[in-house]
Amino acid sequence: MSDVPLTAAVKAFLARPHGQFIQGNACISHAAPLIDIINPANEEVVAAVATASRDELNAAVAAAKGSFQSLWANFNPYARGVILNKLADLIEQNGEEIAQLDTLCSGKSINLSRLFEVQQSAVFLRYFAGWTTKISGQTLQPSFPSMAGEQYSAFTRREPVGVVAAIVPWNFPLMIGIWKLGAALACGCSVVIKPSEFTPLTMLRLAELAKEAGLPDGVLNVINGGGDTGRQLIEHPDVAKVSFTGSVATGKKVNMTAAADLTRCTLELGGKNTAALLQDADIDRAVAGLLQTGYIHQGQVCAAPERVYVHASRLDELTGKLGAALAAAPVGSPLDERVVFGPLSNKPQFDKVCHYLQVAGSESRILSGGEVIDRPGYFVQPTIVRAASATEVLMQEETFGPVLSFMSYDEDDELLALINNTPYGLGTSLWTNNLSAAMRMIPQVESGTVWVNMHTMVDPAVPFGGVKHSGIGREFGSSFIDEYTEVKSVIMAY
Ligand code: NDP
């Protein structure tokens, strides 16, 4: 097995100093504290990024506000779409550089980096580009009394909200960033984005490509730092909207910070997503689906299934076949195209998953995997856990790792209560060919998305978001327009 060689562009990018991207320029403050970017596959430092100072944060918001007011809010809609499409082209043209930078920071397999961070980023951007010319209001007829023959008409305008603070996690740092900035820019908002401190490089490269695509200076700005930098950004009085993706715990803090100044806020948060196999489920199909969605990127996917309810008559068949498939999948360097399982993305995440493996091990519930892999980097085995109760830790808490917990049920009418027995509600999948059973269950499942015979897949045309503690608001579809525009009503007498 061997790694793909790093391209010359990647080596050159890594060798550069990294800081912020403000008003169309890279800003490097040499006095600023540096954050080391660690390759999770070998724990080596691949680059360092300077933390944004308070002055740089203020400059980024000022650049976004200035470009919004003077230019971008009233920019020709078709021309906005042309720029977003051009940016999608540039992402693809520079795809191998972006994919390798992502794999070096996040440990995602190079195949997945190419598929999601490059191809899907371009797909989502082109979707948002198509909307720039289709954002519209309504024409309405008021019912006011007419005293002297006057008539009335009303219409609504969709106006961009202003400066958007986008805060994104480390699991899909570019694609999730594009979900936010593509939507914001399509609506005429300007953006200050804060990547995770573990994965800032691809967003800095994207900002350069956006400039090359013709995006006016100041419309997209990137600032780096940890959670405190994110908090300071949200608190800035010129931020009109916060779009956050991350954990439930941080999301609650973000919501409180935003609410203190009545800043509008959408939250895409974590969960404890369920796959529920009805008695008739096609087990081979479910095994392939769970492999593809539960263990992809080592389970570090917000919508990934983490708890699986299976009819008692099918549990052993499912876990046996899944265990065999996991054992056959190669583990190793994520830069090796043949590898399926790479490392967890960073040390805190590794520690968190190790904790959950200990919990599972102490209760003798591990059916497959369960060990840390003895090699440099943050590697653990993909794991299958057998749960005895729906209330135990591994059936309730998000591990965000390659740890799926399986529990059996006996009667179909138990299943809905089991699915809904969680404070979260991001995604649920039902595995059955009984269309009638699925259609009757769907309205009762407390979840932002319900998949049938599939899981996790998101599409730009289909709204995505959580209920209960998994979030507030929706991305994609046409729903994003509500999130990034304000409705202005105009009423006229004539
Ligand atoms: P975190 O909540 O730890 O961090 C998310 C982002 O918020 C990071 O950029 C982080 O910075 C920043 N941040 C941390 N504290 C604050 C604060 N007080 N104010 C403002 N920003 C702050 O999440 P992770 O990065 O660990 O991502 C994993 C989580 O994200 C999982 O729970 C997963 O389920 C969820 N997720 C949800 C998705 C969805 O669409 N629903 C999609 C993907 C992930 P830094 O990293 O530098 O500390």
Side-chain angles (χ1 to χ4, degrees), residues 370-430:
E371 300 287 335
V372 170
I373 299 174
D374 185 18
R375 55 175 289 164
Y378 308 132
F379 289 84
V380 300
Q381 292 175 331
T383 297
I384 299 176
V385 175
R386 173 96 188 240
S389 148
T391 55
E392 66 188 50
V393 168
L394 281 159
M395 293 298 278
Q396 288 293 326
E397 294 183 14
E398 182 188 44
T399 70
F400 213 50
V403 184
L404 269 66
S405 297
F406 292 74
M407 200 184 114
S408 65
Y409 68 91
D410 292 308
E411 303 296 335
D412 285 354
D413 52 11
E414 289 175 62
L415 190 53
L416 263 171
L418 290 169
I419 291 171
N420 291 335
N421 177 16
T422 167
Y424 308 112
L426 187 60
T428 299
S429 59
L430 305 175

Side-chain angles (χ1 to χ4, degrees), residues 118-463:
V118 177
Q119 286 175 24
Q120 282 301 302
S121 290
V123 165
F124 274 89
L125 260 186
R126 292 195 179 105
Y127 177 81
F128 290 123
W131 270 106
T132 58
T133 51
K134 299 168 192 70
I135 297 170
S136 60
Q138 292 177 302
T139 309
L140 305 150
Q141 187 173 358
S143 303
F144 302 132
S146 175
M147 301 300 184
E150 67 271 34
Q151 294 186 29
Y152 302 96
S153 183
F155 64 93
T156 58
R157 288 169 49 79
R158 285 261 165 206
E159 299 183 348
V161 295
V163 176
V164 172
I167 298 183
V168 294
W170 42 258
N171 61 337
F172 291 93
L174 192 69
M175 184 180 72
I176 293 178
I178 295 256
W179 292 356
K180 299 187 181 314
L181 68 88
L185 299 181
C187 290
C189 299
S190 57
V191 176
V192 180
I193 189 162
K194 192 205 87 66
S196 165
E197 63 196 283
F198 299 107
T199 52
L201 299 185
T202 48
M203 189 52 70
L204 285 170
R205 185 69 185 108
L206 181 93
E208 295 174 347
L209 295 177
K211 184 177 171 99
E212 192 180 331
L215 191 70
D217 290 349
V219 176
L220 173 63
N221 308 275
V222 184
I223 58 161
N224 281 301
D228 204 44
T229 304
R231 183 186 51 72
Q232 290 173 19
L233 177 60
I234 297 165
E235 283 174 343
H236 198 292
D238 289 334
V239 165
K241 178 195 163 58
V242 176
S243 181
F244 173 84
T245 295
S247 63
V248 174
T250 309
K252 287 181 179 174
K253 288 187 210 162
V254 164
N255 204 22
M256 300 268 283
T257 310
D261 202 25
L262 294 181
T263 305
R264 46 162 74 212
C265 184
T266 48
L267 303 167
E268 294 290 346
L269 307 180
K272 189 73 184 174
N273 308 294
T274 306
L277 277 68
L278 277 64
Q279 192 168 3
D280 75 309
D282 178 337
I283 294 295
D284 290 331
R285 187 174 184 172
V287 166
L290 292 174
L291 264 180
Q292 196 187 39
T293 61
Y295 295 94
I296 187 177
H297 193 16
Q298 290 69 254
Q300 301 165 124
V301 180
C302 57
E306 283 209 6
R307 51 182 204 154
V308 185
Y309 288 112
V310 193
H311 191 271
S313 62
R314 316 296 303 279
L315 181 65
D316 291 343
E317 181 188 359
L318 178 70
T319 53
K321 285 183 171 175
L322 187 61
L326 290 176
V331 180
S333 166
L335 278 172
D336 185 327
E337 290 169 334
R338 286 161 294 185
V339 159
V340 174
F341 295 116
L344 293 161
S345 286
N346 52 64
K347 181 71 166 57
Q349 178 59 18
F350 176 70
D351 291 343
K352 179 176 165 183
V353 172
C354 288
H355 161 73
Y356 284 115
L357 292 179
Q358 267 181 354
V359 170
S362 67
E363 295 177 355
S364 311
R365 302 212 186 285
I366 294 175
L367 298 182
S368 173
E371 300 287 335
V372 170
I373 299 174
D374 185 18
R375 55 175 289 164
Y378 308 132
F379 289 84
V380 300
Q381 292 175 331
T383 297
I384 299 176
V385 175
R386 173 96 188 240
S389 148
T391 55
E392 66 188 50
V393 168
L394 281 159
M395 293 298 278
Q396 288 293 326
E397 294 183 14
E398 182 188 44
T399 70
F400 213 50
V403 184
L404 269 66
S405 297
F406 292 74
M407 200 184 114
S408 65
Y409 68 91
D410 292 308
E411 303 296 335
D412 285 354
D413 52 11
E414 289 175 62
L415 190 53
L416 263 171
L418 290 169
I419 291 171
N420 291 335
N421 177 16
T422 167
Y424 308 112
L426 187 60
T428 299
S429 59
L430 305 175
W431 296 78
T432 178
N433 285 318
N434 183 340
L435 182 64
S436 174
M439 291 298 280
R440 286 166 196 274
M441 287 179 75
I442 287 167
Q444 300 180 72
V445 173
E446 295 166 357
S447 190
T449 299
V450 179
W451 293 275
V452 179
N453 292 325
M454 59 185 291
H455 198 109
T456 301
M457 310 277 280
V458 294
D459 184 275
V462 184

Side-chain angles (χ1 to χ4, degrees), residues 462-492:
V462 184
F464 179 67
V467 300
K468 302 202 284 191
H469 285 195
S470 289
I472 300 173
R474 291 290 177 273
E475 298 191 290
F476 322 153
S478 59
S479 304
F480 79 91
I481 296 168
D482 295 342
E483 309 284 354
Y484 290 90
T485 61
E486 196 72 81
V487 176
K488 179 176 282 173
S489 299
V490 181
I491 309 177
M492 307 166 76

